[in-house]
Amino acid sequence: MGKKAKKEAEPPCKDVFDPLAIESKKPATAVLMLSSSEEDVLAKACEAIYKYADKGEENKGTLVDLGAVEPLSRLISHEDQLVCRNALMALGVMSANNDVKRLLKKLDVIPSVIGKLSPENDVVVHEFATLCLASLSLEFTCKVKIFESDGLDPLIQLLFSPDPDVKKNSLECAYNLVQDFPSRVALCELNGMPPLLDLLGSEFPVIQQLALRTLESVTTEAGARVAFREERGLDRLLELLANKEFSDLHMEALQVISNCLQDSESMLLIRQSGGLEKLLQFVVTAAPPDVQMNAAKAISRAAQNSENRKVLHEHDVGRALINLLATDHDGVRTATCQAVAIMSENLACRDSFRNLEGIGVIVPLLGCECVEVREAAALALSSLTSGSQLNACTVHEVEGDELLVQQLREGHPGVVVHAAAVLTNMAAQEALRCSIVAHGGMRVLAGLLQAADARVPASAALAVAALACDADGRADLRSAGGLPPLIKLLSSRNAEVCCNACWAIHVCASDEPTATEICRLGALEILKEINSSVNRRNKFSEAAFQRLLDSNLSVKYSLTGHLSSTNITVDGFYDPGQVQKGERVLTLEELSKQAVNQRRPVIMVNGKPRQVVSEEPAEDKQQDSSSAIRSSSVLSKNSGKAQSRAKGKGRREDDKQKEGDESKAQQETPEKPWALPYDAAFHDLVTEAARSVLPLQDQKEQYIALAKLVSDTMGGPVDRDKLHYFLWELHLSELKIELQSNIIPIGRIKKGTFYHRALLFKVLADRIGVSCSLVRGDYNRAWNKVRLVEGPPKAPGHLPHPLTYIVDLMHTPGHLLKIDSPAAIQYQSI
């Protein structure tokens, strides 16, 4: 104890440092002081840095370069409250800088900042902590970190703070968070709706606007809309709309209402409270354009529900929207046209818009300079004309088809898609189709089939299908070169584009010239590939493939080896034989250009005589001949001496002149288009069949008579044992040499085997109206199937089921072999 007392009595140590007041004008010094262990120094350094950073963005960058962010992020967790508060103030101000955000994210400072939101901290700490979080929440990864660190709950609690800055910062951070679905759901679960609604009554407009924007985002979720209704949120918004002092908030309030009106419950509630009339007042009264635009958007959102459309229609919304179209503001017109488009999904609304002459107001908007207005107008017209022929006629009456075609020419994707949809709807009527084609609609659509935006060729293909119902439309498509790009769309990996192209091919192939051209361009091969794929095959591709075959029976018979009784052959039909896999069926014209070869001949059918040639060329030829004779007689009177002197020279000049004339004639005379050779023998066979077969009353007798006629024409009956003596191949080879062509008219064949006779039977039967099918077999076999009803009716009005037979044309002509019988099976095989 004595030693201790003695020690206490000793004077102070000599090395104790007296307090030193340092005055510095360099931020680097303050940053160095952040490494001090003295609390007073740290507090003053943080305060100095806060004041320096608050002066401007450039100062924040300087502090980043000096390395102030890392020590400040440590000091916000300091045990001294003053140091902690000042460090947080400095970080809060600096957090608006992008480089600071990046560093704070790397330092994982968010959990520490969220920890400062607890109630035991003072208002200043809350203010700058929420300011820091509000800045960081603009980054997606920071939003996720705040949510995962349970930062939303304390932020909601701080919405009750008496300090407006804390409210504003907390609300701003919450607004950024609720842009993501999980935060929107969490806010409702944490009972965040009441404080948000309370903030609508704040005396600070910025807080009111932030609250409305947050509500707008939150109410996109159905659960949040239920909570909003339960807290009487609609009533509060309607009160705000009724107050002209809050006119600057009307736009955001209407956006929240538009979200709520998606639910029929909200519509019923606002209708019962008289709020619907208040909403419509913003449409009909002279409100600011932004407010009118959002009112129209609110109607659009409400009209998404079918029940709501009925309610809005009962309140004469159509008239209000038409009046709003007169507003000279592009945003208002765009939103109004979009509302018209959605309202027009109701049939009564469509009729109402027509009766109110709304179509005549919308069509001129297609000529507006603003692309958004044109797109919205086209969208409205596509909805108005969907399933409504009267509305389509009205568009035509106000010259809308010409404006729509013009929009196709201008080529803006959004406008084109909807304009093409309108034309598709209008094309359901023949008169309107003709008008659209006359304005060049099909030619423009042909060019749009090559557009890069998938929406454009998809809609263009549908419009092509609608306009191709008429021959003029198909002719325009062919002449405009629209078939190659249309067929190219079949290979698109976009399902909608492919399906629409298949449908257009199905319609275009309704006539033989177009179907032949489509086949020549390779559409059949593409469709065959699509139909062989489980994933790509669809009803449209199958229908297009079948239509192409039915419209080009030559190709169908070559590919499938079968023609049904409904497949009626006409002049120009030919049998090129069974096509090999992967090969294209060549056209007759292409086959005619081939040199004579060793392959089986192509059998051609054409009983139509060529058109009589005009008499003028014959007269001209006769006059030229007479002139030549006269010239010859004049020359013959020349003296023999003169002729002798000029003999050599004149012959050379004549030869040169003749060669020049021939060359000139070849240059001037255009190449004649290829034409089908006329088969006079076949024409005679058709006449004979009509004379000898048609008068027979019994259908079975008709088949027998026709079979005998075919057999007699093709060499008569041939015993099964003597088929190898029937030299039909030699006969056909002789015909090929004689005609110098691989194409043989069927009437020229006098020795025909199974497939020649079956083909002749089919084409003659089709000419005289007798029903039969044609089936190709193996090894030059083919046969015809016919159906006969035999026996008395089983009951009054009930005919017996028809039986199918194969017609024997080779061995016992006219004998009918019951299908699947041994005789029929033997006839079909070797």
Side-chain angles (χ1 to χ4, degrees):
M1 291 292 293
K3 289 182 179 180
K4 186 177 181 181
K6 184 178 180 181
K7 187 177 180 180
E8 290 178 352
E10 291 178 358
C13 297
K14 296 180 180 180
D15 59 349
V16 173
F17 190 78
D18 293 332
L20 176 66
I22 298 177
E23 184 176 341
S24 175
K25 296 183 179 180
K26 298 287 186 180
T29 305
V31 173
L32 287 174
M33 292 168 65
L34 294 177
S35 302
S36 173
S37 59
E38 297 183 51
E39 295 171 351
D40 289 342
V41 174
L42 291 174
K44 290 178 181 179
C46 290
E47 183 179 7
I49 289 173
Y50 157 69
K51 292 178 180 178
Y52 179 74
D54 197 34
K55 292 179 180 179
E57 191 67 24
E58 186 177 348
N59 291 357
K60 296 183 181 72
T62 301
L63 291 170
V64 171
D65 295 338
L66 292 172
V69 177
E70 185 174 356
L72 285 173
S73 64
R74 290 198 309 269
L75 292 176
I76 63 173
S77 301
H78 199 278
E79 59 184 10
D80 184 82
Q81 294 296 321
L82 183 58
V83 174
C84 172
R85 186 184 71 175
N86 291 352
L88 197 54
M89 290 169 61
L91 271 186
V93 172
M94 292 175 64
S95 62
N97 183 276
N98 291 328
D99 292 331
V100 175
K101 290 179 190 176
R102 177 176 52 80
L103 289 171
L104 291 178
K105 184 166 56 174
K106 183 178 180 181
L107 294 168
D108 195 22
V109 78
I110 289 176
S112 300
V113 177
I114 291 175
K116 301 303 174 185
L117 301 181
S118 57
E120 58 266 19
N121 287 307
D122 61 26
V123 172
V124 176
V125 173
H126 288 166
E127 176 185 349
F128 287 97
T130 52
L131 177 62
C132 182
L133 291 175
S135 298
L136 290 173
S137 62
L138 293 170
E139 298 282 344
F140 176 74
T141 53
C142 293
K143 282 196 292 185
V144 174
K145 187 66 176 179
I146 294 171
F147 179 76
E148 291 177 347
S149 302
D150 298 325
L152 188 58
D153 189 14
L155 287 169
I156 292 174
Q157 299 306 318
L158 288 177
L159 294 179
F160 295 105
S161 172
D163 186 83
D165 289 325
V166 175
K167 286 181 179 179
K168 184 257 183 186
N169 294 339
S170 302
L171 189 54
E172 186 174 354
C173 186
Y175 169 73
N176 293 333
L177 291 176
V178 297
Q179 301 307 309
D180 301 327
F181 172 74
S183 297
R184 290 197 291 269
V185 175
L187 185 137
C188 294
E189 293 175 349
L190 295 170
N191 199 27
M193 195 65 72
L196 284 175
L197 291 173
D198 289 341
L199 291 177
L200 294 178
S202 172
E203 59 181 315
F204 298 99
V206 64
I207 293 179
Q208 291 176 305
Q209 285 187 339
L210 275 172
L212 285 170
R213 290 176 183 174
T214 306
L215 285 171
E216 179 190 354
S217 180
V218 171
T219 51
T220 56
E221 304 300 327
R225 293 195 291 271
V226 173
F228 186 78
R229 288 197 300 271
E230 291 174 352
E231 296 295 332
R232 300 181 62 84
L234 282 171
D235 291 339
R236 296 197 184 190
L237 289 181
L238 291 173
E239 290 174 4
L240 189 148
L241 289 174
N243 193 336
K244 294 184 179 181
E245 294 181 4
F246 297 139
S247 59
D248 57 327
L249 303 175
H250 287 173
M251 184 174 69
E252 289 83 2
L254 285 168
Q255 290 173 337
V256 179
I257 289 178
S258 69
N259 287 342
C260 295
L261 290 180
Q262 295 179 74
D263 301 329
S264 55
E265 295 85 356
S266 297
M267 174 61 83
L268 179 61
L269 189 62
I270 197 172
R271 184 184 182 189
Q272 291 174 347
S273 64
L276 191 57
E277 286 77 7
K278 293 180 182 178
L279 177 63
L280 294 178
Q281 281 183 346
F282 288 97
V283 179
V284 298
T285 58
D290 289 342
V291 174
Q292 288 183 320
M293 181 173 63
N294 281 282
K297 289 181 178 179
I299 293 173
S300 297
R301 190 65 64 86
Q304 300 284 349
N305 184 296
S306 59
E307 292 298 323
N308 289 353
R309 285 196 291 271
K310 293 180 181 178
V311 173
L312 291 169
H313 176 61
E314 292 171 0
H315 283 73
D316 204 14
V317 167
R319 188 182 302 275
L321 290 174
I322 292 172
N323 292 335
L324 199 58
L325 287 171
T327 305
D328 189 15
H329 187 275
D330 292 339
V332 175
R333 288 172 172 173
T334 301
T336 305
C337 286
Q338 291 169 347
V340 170
I342 298 173
M343 285 293 297
S344 296
E345 294 181 21
N346 181 286
L347 183 58
C349 292
R350 276 182 242 164
D351 295 338
S352 175
F353 282 120
R354 182 185 67 253
N355 296 332
L356 294 170
E357 299 182 353
I359 293 176
V361 178
I362 296 173
V363 167
L365 296 180
L366 293 171
C368 182
E369 293 183 2
C370 178
V371 174
E372 288 76 13
V373 175
R374 298 204 306 270
E375 182 175 348
L379 172 64
L381 290 174
S382 68
S383 184
L384 284 167
T385 55
S386 177
S388 176
Q389 293 191 5
L390 290 176
N391 284 359
C393 288
T394 305
V395 173
H396 170 68
E397 290 169 0
V398 294
E399 300 180 353
D401 44 1
E402 185 175 357
L403 283 171
L404 289 164
V405 172
Q406 180 59 36
Q407 293 310 307
L408 296 183
R409 287 194 179 94
E410 294 186 9
H412 187 276
V415 184
V416 166
V417 169
H418 301 309
V422 183
L423 293 174
T424 302
N425 296 337
M426 295 175 66
Q429 302 176 63
E430 183 179 359
L432 274 59
R433 277 200 305 273
C434 296
S435 175
I436 295 168
V437 171
H439 285 111
M442 183 64 92
R443 294 181 176 275
V444 181
L445 289 169
L448 294 173
L449 294 172
Q450 306 178 62
D453 190 329
R455 298 175 302 160
V456 175
S459 57
L462 270 186
V464 165
L467 294 175
C469 295
D470 297 326
D472 290 344
R474 294 191 293 272
D476 261 17
L477 181 65
R478 290 197 304 271
S479 63
L483 289 180
L486 180 60
I487 292 168
K488 188 177 181 181
L489 293 181
L490 295 174
S491 303
S492 173
R493 293 297 173 180
N494 184 296
E496 183 184 7
V497 172
C498 181
C499 287
N500 292 354
C502 288
W503 179 243
I505 293 290
H506 176 270
V507 177
C508 291
S510 54
D511 65 56
E512 188 173 355
T514 309
T516 302
E517 180 67 11
I518 291 173
C519 292
R520 188 186 67 80
L521 293 169
L524 267 175
E525 290 75 12
I526 300 174
L527 289 169
K528 195 173 182 181
E529 179 186 350
I530 292 172
N531 291 333
S532 65
S533 169
V534 177
N535 296 326
R536 299 182 64 198
R537 182 175 63 239
N538 56 75
K539 293 182 179 179
F540 296 101
S541 64
E542 293 171 351
F545 184 76
Q546 192 58 46
R547 173 60 68 85
L548 277 176
L549 294 181
D550 291 340
S551 298
N552 196 333
L553 297 181
S554 303
V555 175
K556 180 177 183 179
Y557 188 49
S558 180
L559 288 175
T560 67
H562 181 269
L563 292 180
S564 68
S565 57
T566 58
N567 296 141
I568 308 301
T569 60
V570 295
D571 291 319
F573 177 85
Y574 63 101
D575 176 16
Q578 188 76 39
V579 69
Q580 298 298 320
K581 186 176 181 179
E583 290 185 1
R584 183 175 66 85
V585 181
L586 300 179
T587 64
L588 263 180
E589 184 175 359
E590 291 171 330
L591 291 168
S592 69
K593 296 176 182 178
Q594 293 180 348
V596 178
N597 52 44
Q598 298 297 320
R599 301 182 68 176
R600 63 171 279 174
V602 177
I603 311 302
M604 181 271 296
V605 178
N606 182 31
K608 183 179 180 181
R610 292 184 182 178
Q611 294 181 350
V612 179
V613 182
S614 172
E615 295 181 359
E616 291 182 5
E619 293 176 359
D620 293 343
K621 186 176 180 181
Q622 185 176 1
Q623 290 175 3
D624 294 342
S625 177
S626 301
S627 177
I629 293 172
R630 287 194 300 269
S631 300
S632 174
S633 63
V634 171
L635 289 172
S636 64
K637 294 180 182 179
N638 291 335
S639 64
K641 187 177 180 180
Q643 288 181 357
S644 177
R645 287 197 302 266
K647 183 177 181 180
K649 184 177 179 181
R651 185 175 299 167
R652 288 192 299 272
E653 291 178 353
D654 289 346
D655 290 344
K656 290 180 181 179
Q657 184 176 359
K658 184 178 180 181
E659 290 175 0
D661 292 344
E662 289 178 354
S663 175
K664 186 177 180 181
Q666 289 177 359
Q667 294 176 1
E668 292 180 354
T669 304
E671 186 179 352
K672 293 182 179 180
W674 182 83
L676 277 173
Y678 169 53
D679 188 354
F682 175 68
H683 183 270
D684 294 339
L685 283 173
V686 174
T687 304
E688 177 61 23
R691 184 191 66 79
S692 60
V693 177
L694 275 184
L696 300 175
Q697 298 299 317
D698 184 66
Q699 190 177 17
K700 184 177 181 180
E701 293 298 325
Q702 288 182 331
Y703 288 133
I704 294 172
L706 184 59
K708 290 180 178 179
L709 174 62
V710 169
S711 177
D712 293 342
T713 303
M714 291 283 185
V718 181
D719 291 340
R720 187 179 302 275
D721 298 335
K722 296 182 179 180
L723 281 173
H724 57 284
Y725 294 116
F726 189 64
L727 304 179
W728 59 273
E729 293 104 329
L730 178 60
H731 172 59
L732 291 175
S733 298
E734 290 172 347
L735 285 176
K736 287 172 67 174
I737 298 300
E738 178 187 345
L739 298 172
Q740 282 298 296
S741 173
N742 295 312
I743 301 173
I744 297 179
I746 194 168
R748 297 290 300 271
I749 300 176
K750 303 306 177 186
K751 284 187 178 181
T753 188
F754 292 89
Y755 78 90
H756 302 118
R757 299 185 183 207
L759 178 58
L760 181 59
F761 187 90
K762 170 65 175 171
V763 295
L764 287 176
D766 289 345
R767 294 305 190 285
I768 63 175
V770 176
S771 176
C772 77
S773 62
L774 174 63
V775 183
R776 189 198 303 278
D778 296 326
Y779 304 106
N780 297 319
R781 296 291 172 118
W783 53 89
N784 303 101
K785 290 182 180 180
V786 298
R787 293 167 68 85
L788 289 174
V789 176
E790 296 182 329
K794 295 181 179 180
H798 292 80
L799 294 175
H801 193 275
L803 300 177
T804 304
Y805 296 90
I806 289 177
V807 183
D808 186 345
L809 301 172
M810 199 73 190
H811 310 306
T812 310
H815 185 50
L816 302 182
L817 311 174
K818 192 173 182 179
I819 195 72
D820 295 333
S821 66
I825 295 172
Q826 187 178 23
Y827 186 83
Q828 298 171 59
S829 58
I830 295 178

